[in-house]
Amino acid sequence: MEGVTVPALVMVGVGAHVAVGTSLVLVFINSAVATGANVAWLPWVGILWMAGAAMVGTTFGAWLAHRAPEVELRRVIAACMALVVGGILLTTVPSLL
């Protein structure tokens, strides 16, 4: 669901910055629920490394997003969606033939 949240919100008129933030709240909630359900057997060292990398990436992404004009952010979202659609088509279509 999260994969289509940002483009869907942008298409209905929500600003790109708000759409990205809204999507991240949904991702956080899903991740928290999944972590809570599997807390007994999780590889905590790997999780800590990923959490550290996520904090660095989030900080840089927020810094960059606040400096990017709305139009540029929309273009980046559109380019990312095109890449996702292309990847899905490349992996799905050959198996259908």
Side-chain angles (χ1 to χ4, degrees):
M1 179 75 177
E2 286 83 18
V4 297
T5 304
V6 173
L9 289 171
V10 169
M11 285 174 36
V12 297
V14 175
H17 293 90
V18 174
V20 170
T22 302
S23 174
L24 292 176
V25 169
L26 297 174
V27 170
F28 173 78
I29 291 169
N30 285 340
S31 299
V33 169
T35 300
N38 298 299
V39 75
W41 60 270
L42 290 173
W44 289 104
V45 173
I47 289 172
L48 292 175
W49 276 103
M50 289 191 310
M55 283 189 267
V56 171
T58 301
T59 302
F60 176 72
W63 176 83
L64 189 61
H66 285 289
R67 281 148 186 80
E70 180 82 14
V71 150
E72 292 301 318
L73 193 53
R74 285 176 179 258
R75 287 182 184 147
V76 169
I77 292 169
C80 288
M81 287 305 298
L83 288 173
V84 169
V85 168
I88 290 171
L89 290 176
L90 286 174
T91 58
T92 305
V93 171
S95 66
L96 296 175
L97 299 177

